[in-house]
Amino acid sequence: MTVYVRSLETAVPATKLIQTEARDVFAAQPGLNRLGTRLVGTCFDSAAIDTRYTAVDELTNEFRSDNPQFYDRDSGLLLNPSTKVRNDIFAREATRLFVGAARAAVEACPDLDLLDITHLVTVSCTGFFNPGPDYKIVRELGLDPAVQRYHLGFMGCYAAFPALRAAKLFCEADPDAVVLVVCAELCSLHVRTSNDPDTIMGSALFADGAAAAVVTANPAARNHALLQLDHFETVLTPVGEDSMAWNIGDNGFEMVLGNYVPHIIDDHIVGALQPLLAREPNLAALPYTGITHWAIHPGGRSILDKVQSRLGLTDEQLVPAREVLRNYGNMSSATVLFVLRHILEQDMPEQGLDTGGERICSMAFGPGLTVETALLTKLRQAPPGSSRDATADQVHQEVPVA
Protein backbone atom coordinates (compact mmCIF):
# COMPACT_ATOMS: atom_id res chain seq x y z
CA MET A 1 0.00 0.00 0.00
CA THR A 2 1.37 3.40 -0.99
CA VAL A 3 1.43 6.04 1.76
CA TYR A 4 1.53 9.76 0.97
CA VAL A 5 2.40 13.04 2.67
CA ARG A 6 -0.40 15.42 1.71
CA SER A 7 1.12 18.52 3.33
CA LEU A 8 4.29 19.58 5.11
CA GLU A 9 4.33 22.94 6.89
CA THR A 10 6.85 24.65 9.17
CA ALA A 11 6.62 27.26 11.90
CA VAL A 12 9.01 29.34 13.99
CA PRO A 13 8.63 31.76 16.92
CA ALA A 14 8.73 35.48 16.19
CA THR A 15 12.01 36.35 17.88
CA LYS A 16 15.04 36.17 15.59
CA LEU A 17 18.57 35.76 16.92
CA ILE A 18 21.42 37.21 14.89
CA GLN A 19 24.38 34.87 15.25
CA THR A 20 27.03 37.56 15.57
CA GLU A 21 25.01 39.41 18.23
CA ALA A 22 24.45 36.22 20.20
CA ARG A 23 28.18 35.44 19.97
CA ASP A 24 29.09 38.81 21.44
CA VAL A 25 26.69 38.33 24.37
CA PHE A 26 28.05 34.88 25.18
CA ALA A 27 31.67 35.98 24.76
CA ALA A 28 31.18 38.87 27.21
CA GLN A 29 30.08 36.74 30.17
CA PRO A 30 32.30 37.28 33.24
CA GLY A 31 32.55 33.61 34.19
CA LEU A 32 34.41 32.60 31.02
CA ASN A 33 38.09 31.80 31.15
CA ARG A 34 40.42 32.57 28.24
CA LEU A 35 39.82 29.20 26.60
CA GLY A 36 36.06 29.52 27.02
CA THR A 37 36.07 32.96 25.42
CA ARG A 38 38.09 31.62 22.51
CA LEU A 39 35.75 28.64 22.11
CA VAL A 40 32.69 30.89 22.00
CA GLY A 41 34.17 32.86 19.13
CA THR A 42 35.25 29.74 17.26
CA CYS A 43 31.99 27.81 17.72
CA PHE A 44 29.67 30.67 16.83
CA ASP A 45 31.73 31.87 13.85
CA SER A 46 32.29 28.42 12.35
CA ALA A 47 28.70 27.19 12.75
CA ALA A 48 27.62 28.42 9.28
CA ILE A 49 24.56 30.03 10.89
CA ASP A 50 23.36 33.57 10.23
CA THR A 51 20.03 33.58 12.07
CA ARG A 52 18.01 31.44 14.42
CA TYR A 53 14.61 31.74 16.11
CA THR A 54 13.78 31.52 19.80
CA ALA A 55 10.66 31.46 21.95
CA VAL A 56 12.63 33.31 24.64
CA ASP A 57 12.08 36.89 23.51
CA GLU A 58 14.30 38.36 26.23
CA LEU A 59 17.37 36.82 24.58
CA THR A 60 17.49 39.81 22.24
CA ASN A 61 18.51 43.36 23.08
CA GLU A 62 15.25 44.65 21.60
CA PHE A 63 13.23 43.18 24.48
CA ARG A 64 13.28 44.57 28.02
CA SER A 65 11.88 42.71 31.02
CA ASP A 66 11.37 43.98 34.57
CA ASN A 67 11.94 40.44 35.81
CA PRO A 68 14.43 38.80 33.42
CA GLN A 69 14.92 35.05 33.70
CA PHE A 70 17.39 34.30 30.89
CA TYR A 71 19.13 37.54 29.98
CA ASP A 72 19.44 40.82 31.87
CA ARG A 73 19.73 43.42 29.17
CA ASP A 74 20.86 46.16 31.58
CA SER A 75 23.81 44.22 32.98
CA GLY A 76 24.47 42.07 29.89
CA LEU A 77 24.43 38.96 32.05
CA LEU A 78 23.05 35.59 30.97
CA LEU A 79 21.04 34.12 33.82
CA ASN A 80 20.61 30.49 34.81
CA PRO A 81 16.96 29.64 35.59
CA SER A 82 15.96 26.30 37.06
CA THR A 83 14.70 23.39 35.01
CA LYS A 84 11.20 24.11 36.36
CA VAL A 85 11.28 27.70 35.11
CA ARG A 86 12.47 26.54 31.69
CA ASN A 87 9.89 23.77 31.50
CA ASP A 88 7.04 26.08 32.50
CA ILE A 89 7.94 28.28 29.53
CA PHE A 90 8.09 25.17 27.35
CA ALA A 91 4.53 24.23 28.30
CA ARG A 92 3.27 27.65 27.22
CA GLU A 93 5.40 28.41 24.17
CA ALA A 94 5.65 24.89 22.74
CA THR A 95 1.86 24.73 22.68
CA ARG A 96 1.82 27.77 20.38
CA LEU A 97 4.23 26.10 17.98
CA PHE A 98 2.58 22.67 18.09
CA VAL A 99 -0.88 24.08 17.44
CA GLY A 100 0.28 26.61 14.84
CA ALA A 101 2.21 24.07 12.77
CA ALA A 102 -0.60 21.51 13.05
CA ARG A 103 -3.21 24.01 11.93
CA ALA A 104 -1.07 25.04 8.94
CA ALA A 105 -0.65 21.40 7.83
CA VAL A 106 -4.38 20.73 8.05
CA GLU A 107 -5.34 23.96 6.29
CA ALA A 108 -2.99 23.01 3.44
CA CYS A 109 -5.42 20.14 2.72
CA PRO A 110 -8.66 22.05 1.99
CA ASP A 111 -10.59 18.89 1.14
CA LEU A 112 -9.78 17.35 4.52
CA ASP A 113 -12.33 17.55 7.33
CA LEU A 114 -10.84 17.85 10.82
CA LEU A 115 -12.90 14.85 11.90
CA ASP A 116 -11.17 12.79 9.20
CA ILE A 117 -7.95 12.76 11.24
CA THR A 118 -7.73 9.41 12.99
CA HIS A 119 -4.23 9.51 14.53
CA LEU A 120 -2.02 12.20 16.02
CA VAL A 121 1.72 11.76 16.64
CA THR A 122 3.59 14.51 18.48
CA VAL A 123 7.35 14.76 18.98
CA SER A 124 9.60 16.77 21.29
CA CYS A 125 12.73 16.31 23.38
CA THR A 126 13.00 19.80 24.93
CA GLY A 127 10.28 19.73 27.58
CA PHE A 128 7.44 17.82 29.23
CA PHE A 129 3.91 18.56 30.38
CA ASN A 130 0.66 16.65 30.69
CA PRO A 131 -2.02 17.00 29.39
CA GLY A 132 0.55 17.35 26.66
CA PRO A 133 0.87 18.76 23.16
CA ASP A 134 -1.24 15.97 21.70
CA TYR A 135 -4.12 16.97 23.98
CA LYS A 136 -3.65 20.67 23.21
CA ILE A 137 -3.77 20.08 19.45
CA VAL A 138 -6.98 18.03 19.72
CA ARG A 139 -8.67 20.73 21.80
CA GLU A 140 -7.42 23.78 19.88
CA LEU A 141 -8.07 22.39 16.40
CA GLY A 142 -11.34 20.68 17.25
CA LEU A 143 -10.26 17.17 16.29
CA ASP A 144 -12.37 14.15 17.14
CA PRO A 145 -11.87 13.54 20.91
CA ALA A 146 -11.48 9.84 20.07
CA VAL A 147 -8.45 10.43 17.82
CA GLN A 148 -5.62 8.03 18.67
CA ARG A 149 -2.78 10.05 20.27
CA TYR A 150 0.89 9.16 20.58
CA HIS A 151 3.84 11.21 21.86
CA LEU A 152 7.49 10.45 21.08
CA GLY A 153 9.58 12.13 23.76
CA PHE A 154 13.27 12.69 24.38
CA MET A 155 14.56 10.87 21.30
CA GLY A 156 16.52 13.82 19.92
CA CYS A 157 17.26 15.06 16.44
CA TYR A 158 16.21 11.92 14.57
CA ALA A 159 12.72 11.61 16.06
CA ALA A 160 10.82 12.85 12.99
CA PHE A 161 11.64 9.55 11.28
CA PRO A 162 10.09 7.23 13.91
CA ALA A 163 7.05 9.54 13.84
CA LEU A 164 6.66 9.31 10.06
CA ARG A 165 7.36 5.58 10.14
CA ALA A 166 4.60 5.11 12.73
CA ALA A 167 2.25 7.17 10.56
CA LYS A 168 3.08 4.93 7.60
CA LEU A 169 2.36 1.80 9.63
CA PHE A 170 -0.97 3.19 10.83
CA CYS A 171 -1.99 3.94 7.26
CA GLU A 172 -0.90 0.53 6.00
CA ALA A 173 -2.93 -1.13 8.74
CA ASP A 174 -6.02 1.01 8.12
CA PRO A 175 -6.64 2.39 4.60
CA ASP A 176 -8.94 5.05 6.09
CA ALA A 177 -6.34 6.37 8.51
CA VAL A 178 -5.30 10.03 8.30
CA VAL A 179 -2.33 10.81 10.54
CA LEU A 180 -1.22 14.25 11.70
CA VAL A 181 2.49 14.32 12.68
CA VAL A 182 3.81 17.36 14.58
CA CYS A 183 7.37 18.02 15.80
CA ALA A 184 8.12 21.07 17.95
CA GLU A 185 11.34 21.88 19.80
CA LEU A 186 12.39 24.76 22.05
CA CYS A 187 16.10 24.06 22.25
CA SER A 188 16.95 27.65 23.18
CA LEU A 189 15.30 27.16 26.57
CA HIS A 190 18.37 25.21 27.63
CA VAL A 191 21.16 27.59 26.66
CA ARG A 192 23.52 28.75 29.38
CA THR A 193 26.94 30.30 29.74
CA SER A 194 29.74 27.84 30.47
CA ASN A 195 33.35 26.99 29.81
CA ASP A 196 32.28 23.47 28.82
CA PRO A 197 32.88 22.89 25.07
CA ASP A 198 29.67 20.86 24.59
CA THR A 199 27.57 23.56 26.24
CA ILE A 200 29.20 26.27 24.14
CA MET A 201 28.59 24.26 20.96
CA GLY A 202 24.93 23.83 21.88
CA SER A 203 24.55 27.55 22.46
CA ALA A 204 26.04 28.22 19.03
CA LEU A 205 23.85 25.71 17.14
CA PHE A 206 20.43 25.14 18.65
CA ALA A 207 17.19 26.98 17.97
CA ASP A 208 13.41 26.65 18.10
CA GLY A 209 10.97 25.54 15.42
CA ALA A 210 8.14 23.19 14.49
CA ALA A 211 6.93 21.21 11.50
CA ALA A 212 3.79 19.22 10.77
CA ALA A 213 2.64 16.79 8.10
CA VAL A 214 -0.59 15.08 7.10
CA VAL A 215 -0.07 11.42 6.10
CA THR A 216 -2.60 9.09 4.44
CA ALA A 217 -2.89 6.05 2.18
CA ASN A 218 -6.22 7.11 0.71
CA PRO A 219 -5.88 6.56 -3.07
CA ALA A 220 -7.58 9.90 -3.71
CA ALA A 221 -4.65 11.59 -1.95
CA ARG A 222 -2.23 10.71 -4.72
CA ASN A 223 -3.64 13.48 -6.90
CA HIS A 224 -2.58 16.13 -4.36
CA ALA A 225 0.28 14.49 -2.44
CA LEU A 226 3.71 16.09 -2.12
CA LEU A 227 5.67 13.03 -1.08
CA GLN A 228 5.48 9.28 -1.11
CA LEU A 229 6.84 7.44 1.95
CA ASP A 230 8.79 4.48 0.60
CA HIS A 231 11.13 2.97 3.22
CA PHE A 232 12.61 3.65 6.67
CA GLU A 233 15.55 2.07 8.48
CA THR A 234 17.33 2.48 11.83
CA VAL A 235 21.01 1.76 12.47
CA LEU A 236 23.08 2.06 15.66
CA THR A 237 26.74 2.75 15.00
CA PRO A 238 29.14 0.42 16.86
CA VAL A 239 30.68 3.38 18.69
CA GLY A 240 29.43 6.75 19.90
CA GLU A 241 27.17 6.01 22.86
CA ASP A 242 29.06 8.57 24.96
CA SER A 243 29.60 11.06 22.15
CA MET A 244 26.03 12.35 21.82
CA ALA A 245 23.57 12.50 24.72
CA TRP A 246 20.78 14.64 26.18
CA ASN A 247 20.40 14.66 29.97
CA ILE A 248 18.22 16.50 32.50
CA GLY A 249 20.06 18.78 34.92
CA ASP A 250 19.00 21.11 37.71
CA ASN A 251 19.30 24.12 35.40
CA GLY A 252 17.85 22.83 32.16
CA PHE A 253 18.69 19.94 29.87
CA GLU A 254 22.37 19.27 29.25
CA MET A 255 23.71 18.34 25.84
CA VAL A 256 26.69 16.13 25.12
CA LEU A 257 27.95 16.66 21.58
CA GLY A 258 31.49 15.39 21.38
CA ASN A 259 33.80 16.70 18.67
CA TYR A 260 34.31 13.09 17.57
CA VAL A 261 30.71 12.83 16.25
CA PRO A 262 31.59 13.99 12.70
CA HIS A 263 34.35 11.37 12.56
CA ILE A 264 31.94 8.62 13.67
CA ILE A 265 29.53 9.67 10.93
CA ASP A 266 32.38 9.77 8.42
CA ASP A 267 33.39 6.22 9.33
CA HIS A 268 29.93 4.66 9.42
CA ILE A 269 27.57 6.62 7.15
CA VAL A 270 27.98 4.39 4.10
CA GLY A 271 27.26 1.27 6.14
CA ALA A 272 24.32 2.95 7.86
CA LEU A 273 22.75 3.63 4.47
CA GLN A 274 23.04 0.07 3.19
CA PRO A 275 19.93 -1.42 4.90
CA LEU A 276 17.81 1.37 3.43
CA LEU A 277 19.19 1.37 -0.10
CA ALA A 278 19.24 -2.44 -0.24
CA ARG A 279 15.44 -2.16 -0.43
CA GLU A 280 15.97 -0.98 -4.01
CA PRO A 281 19.17 -2.55 -5.39
CA ASN A 282 19.41 -0.10 -8.28
CA LEU A 283 20.13 2.63 -5.72
CA ALA A 284 22.50 0.73 -3.47
CA ALA A 285 25.93 1.40 -4.97
CA LEU A 286 28.13 4.47 -4.99
CA PRO A 287 27.78 6.88 -6.70
CA TYR A 288 24.12 7.23 -5.82
CA THR A 289 23.04 8.51 -9.24
CA GLY A 290 19.44 7.32 -8.85
CA ILE A 291 18.82 9.74 -5.97
CA THR A 292 18.07 13.33 -6.95
CA HIS A 293 17.78 14.96 -3.53
CA TRP A 294 19.48 14.47 -0.17
CA ALA A 295 17.65 15.72 2.92
CA ILE A 296 20.39 15.61 5.55
CA HIS A 297 19.75 16.75 9.10
CA PRO A 298 22.16 19.68 9.58
CA GLY A 299 23.46 18.75 13.00
CA GLY A 300 26.32 21.11 12.31
CA ARG A 301 28.52 22.29 9.48
CA SER A 302 31.22 19.66 10.07
CA ILE A 303 28.62 16.87 9.97
CA LEU A 304 27.35 18.10 6.61
CA ASP A 305 30.91 18.37 5.32
CA LYS A 306 31.65 14.75 6.29
CA VAL A 307 28.42 13.41 4.77
CA GLN A 308 28.99 15.28 1.51
CA SER A 309 32.59 14.11 1.21
CA ARG A 310 31.95 10.47 2.14
CA LEU A 311 28.88 10.06 -0.10
CA GLY A 312 30.25 12.07 -3.01
CA LEU A 313 27.34 14.51 -3.03
CA THR A 314 27.36 17.72 -5.05
CA ASP A 315 27.26 21.21 -3.58
CA GLU A 316 23.78 21.59 -5.09
CA GLN A 317 22.51 18.50 -3.27
CA LEU A 318 23.63 19.98 0.07
CA VAL A 319 21.99 23.36 -0.52
CA PRO A 320 18.73 22.50 1.31
CA ALA A 321 20.54 21.31 4.44
CA ARG A 322 23.04 24.17 4.46
CA GLU A 323 20.37 26.80 3.84
CA VAL A 324 18.23 25.50 6.69
CA LEU A 325 21.26 25.51 8.97
CA ARG A 326 22.17 29.05 7.89
CA ASN A 327 18.68 30.49 8.35
CA TYR A 328 17.27 28.46 11.25
CA GLY A 329 20.07 26.61 13.06
CA ASN A 330 19.55 23.14 14.50
CA MET A 331 15.95 22.73 15.73
CA SER A 332 16.42 19.09 16.75
CA SER A 333 13.63 16.82 15.47
CA ALA A 334 11.89 19.48 13.36
CA THR A 335 15.01 20.36 11.36
CA VAL A 336 15.01 17.59 8.79
CA LEU A 337 11.38 18.41 7.96
CA PHE A 338 12.49 21.98 7.19
CA VAL A 339 15.06 20.47 4.82
CA LEU A 340 12.39 18.37 3.14
CA ARG A 341 10.19 21.43 2.80
CA HIS A 342 13.09 23.25 1.09
CA ILE A 343 13.40 20.37 -1.37
CA LEU A 344 9.67 20.34 -2.04
CA GLU A 345 9.79 24.00 -3.02
CA GLN A 346 12.44 23.40 -5.68
CA ASP A 347 11.35 23.35 -9.32
CA MET A 348 10.57 20.03 -10.97
CA PRO A 349 11.19 19.52 -14.72
CA GLU A 350 7.63 18.26 -15.05
CA GLN A 351 5.12 18.20 -12.27
CA GLY A 352 2.88 15.37 -11.23
CA LEU A 353 2.90 11.61 -11.00
CA ASP A 354 3.38 11.15 -14.73
CA THR A 355 7.16 11.53 -14.33
CA GLY A 356 7.38 8.96 -11.53
CA GLY A 357 8.71 11.63 -9.18
CA GLU A 358 12.19 12.42 -7.87
CA ARG A 359 13.87 10.21 -5.28
CA ILE A 360 14.93 11.66 -1.95
CA CYS A 361 17.26 10.04 0.55
CA SER A 362 16.97 11.56 4.00
CA MET A 363 18.85 10.95 7.23
CA ALA A 364 19.24 12.29 10.75
CA PHE A 365 21.54 11.51 13.65
CA GLY A 366 20.99 11.40 17.39
CA PRO A 367 21.98 9.91 20.74
CA GLY A 368 23.27 6.41 20.60
CA LEU A 369 24.76 7.14 18.05
CA THR A 370 21.53 6.51 16.12
CA VAL A 371 21.23 6.97 12.36
CA GLU A 372 17.67 7.13 11.02
CA THR A 373 17.23 7.01 7.25
CA ALA A 374 14.29 7.34 4.87
CA LEU A 375 13.74 6.84 1.15
CA LEU A 376 11.04 9.10 -0.24
CA THR A 377 9.66 10.20 -3.61
CA LYS A 378 8.89 13.82 -4.39
CA LEU A 379 5.69 13.81 -6.41
CA ARG A 380 5.10 17.49 -7.02
CA GLN A 381 6.40 20.93 -6.14
CA ALA A 382 5.06 22.68 -3.08
CA PRO A 383 4.00 26.33 -3.31
CA PRO A 384 6.96 28.58 -2.46
CA GLY A 385 7.04 30.27 0.91
CA SER A 386 9.01 30.67 4.11
CA SER A 387 8.40 29.23 7.55
CA ARG A 388 5.38 30.55 9.32
CA ASP A 389 5.49 32.40 12.62
CA ALA A 390 3.00 30.46 14.71
CA THR A 391 0.55 31.19 17.50
CA ALA A 392 -2.04 28.88 18.97
CA ASP A 393 -4.75 30.77 17.10
CA GLN A 394 -3.32 31.31 13.64
CA VAL A 395 -0.34 30.93 11.34
CA HIS A 396 0.81 33.85 9.25
CA GLN A 397 3.45 33.68 6.57
CA GLU A 398 6.29 36.09 7.36
CA VAL A 399 4.27 37.85 10.07
CA PRO A 400 5.92 37.99 13.54
CA VAL A 401 4.10 36.77 16.60
CA ALA A 402 3.30 39.63 18.97
Side-chain angles (χ1 to χ4, degrees):
M1 182 179 295
T2 305
V3 180
Y4 303 100
V5 173
R6 279 289 315 273
S7 64
L8 176 56
E9 300 294 324
T10 59
V12 294
T15 302
K16 181 186 290 188
L17 293 177
I18 308 301
Q19 184 77 345
T20 53
E21 295 177 0
R23 175 203 63 202
D24 293 344
V25 169
F26 276 83
Q29 298 308 300
L32 289 179
N33 57 33
R34 292 179 63 185
L35 177 59
T37 303
R38 194 159 60 245
L39 283 173
V40 167
T42 299
C43 291
F44 276 75
D45 290 344
S46 64
I49 295 171
D50 292 339
T51 58
R52 294 177 281 167
Y53 291 84
T54 176
V56 186
D57 47 15
E58 67 182 60
L59 287 177
T60 66
N61 282 321
E62 287 71 34
F63 183 86
R64 183 183 294 277
S65 173
D66 294 332
N67 184 30
Q69 296 174 306
F70 287 82
Y71 176 56
D72 185 346
R73 174 181 169 181
D74 294 332
S75 67
L77 292 178
L78 286 166
L79 309 177
N80 196 21
S82 68
T83 300
K84 181 184 186 307
V85 168
R86 299 174 195 260
N87 197 67
D88 286 347
I89 296 173
F90 176 87
R92 181 182 70 247
E93 299 299 330
T95 295
R96 294 159 63 93
L97 278 179
F98 270 110
V99 173
R103 177 173 281 115
V106 172
E107 290 180 349
C109 306
D111 58 311
L112 182 68
D113 189 283
L114 288 171
L115 297 180
D116 291 336
I117 296 174
T118 58
H119 299 70
L120 171 62
V121 183
T122 54
V123 178
S124 190
C125 69
T126 47
F128 304 92
F129 63 97
N130 201 6
D134 51 326
Y135 172 91
K136 298 292 187 180
I137 291 171
V138 170
R139 290 303 193 196
E140 292 287 345
L141 266 64
L143 304 184
D144 186 340
V147 66
Q148 296 185 36
R149 295 153 36 212
Y150 304 86
H151 182 72
L152 301 183
F154 224 62
M155 297 183 78
C157 294
Y158 62 81
F161 290 95
L164 289 174
R165 183 170 57 236
K168 184 173 186 288
L169 291 172
F170 292 147
C171 292
E172 289 172 339
D174 178 3
D176 295 324
V178 178
V179 187
L180 177 59
V181 175
V182 194
C183 302
E185 304 285 7
L186 269 59
C187 305
S188 69
L189 286 177
H190 304 291
V191 300
R192 61 177 60 79
T193 181
S194 173
N195 288 297
D196 175 65
D198 288 348
T199 302
I200 293 171
M201 181 62 72
S203 299
L205 285 176
F206 282 104
D208 303 347
V214 173
V215 180
T216 180
N218 188 322
R222 70 193 304 269
N223 297 321
H224 308 283
L226 299 175
L227 286 171
Q228 178 177 302
L229 300 181
D230 298 321
H231 310 294
F232 293 90
E233 290 288 346
T234 302
V235 170
L236 295 179
T237 61
V239 295
E241 180 177 350
D242 298 326
S243 296
M244 189 184 294
W246 191 226
N247 303 307
I248 299 177
D250 293 334
N251 297 94
F253 298 172
E254 299 168 353
M255 183 198 68
V256 176
L257 184 60
N259 57 15
Y260 195 61
V261 169
H263 301 284
I264 297 173
I265 292 173
D266 188 32
D267 290 341
H268 298 285
I269 190 62
V270 173
L273 272 175
Q274 288 311 303
L276 178 77
L277 299 184
R279 299 286 200 102
E280 298 188 29
N282 62 308
L283 301 177
L286 283 164
Y288 302 116
T289 54
I291 299 173
T292 305
H293 303 286
W294 290 81
I296 312 299
H297 168 68
R301 190 191 71 177
S302 59
I303 289 176
L304 293 179
D305 290 345
K306 292 293 186 183
V307 170
Q308 180 175 5
S309 174
R310 179 61 67 180
L311 300 183
L313 306 182
T314 66
D315 289 344
E316 183 180 6
Q317 287 172 317
L318 265 291
V319 164
R322 295 193 190 276
E323 284 294 305
V324 168
L325 182 64
R326 178 174 295 107
N327 295 323
Y328 300 100
N330 183 342
M331 300 164 285
S332 192
S333 68
T335 319
V336 73
L337 299 180
F338 276 67
V339 178
L340 283 169
R341 175 70 197 190
H342 190 292
I343 290 171
L344 288 172
E345 292 178 2
Q346 294 180 10
D347 292 338
M348 293 182 71
E350 295 180 42
Q351 293 210 26
L353 298 173
D354 294 340
T355 64
E358 299 172 346
R359 303 313 297 276
I360 304 172
C361 185
S362 187
M363 66 183 72
F365 321 98
L369 187 72
T370 302
V371 182
E372 287 278 352
T373 57
L375 196 60
L376 318 166
T377 303
K378 176 182 175 181
L379 299 176
R380 54 182 40 82
Q381 182 181 348
S386 64
S387 292
R388 280 71 169 165
D389 301 315
T391 73
D393 299 317
Q394 57 192 341
V395 174
H396 292 306
Q397 185 170 343
E398 300 178 349
V399 177
V401 175

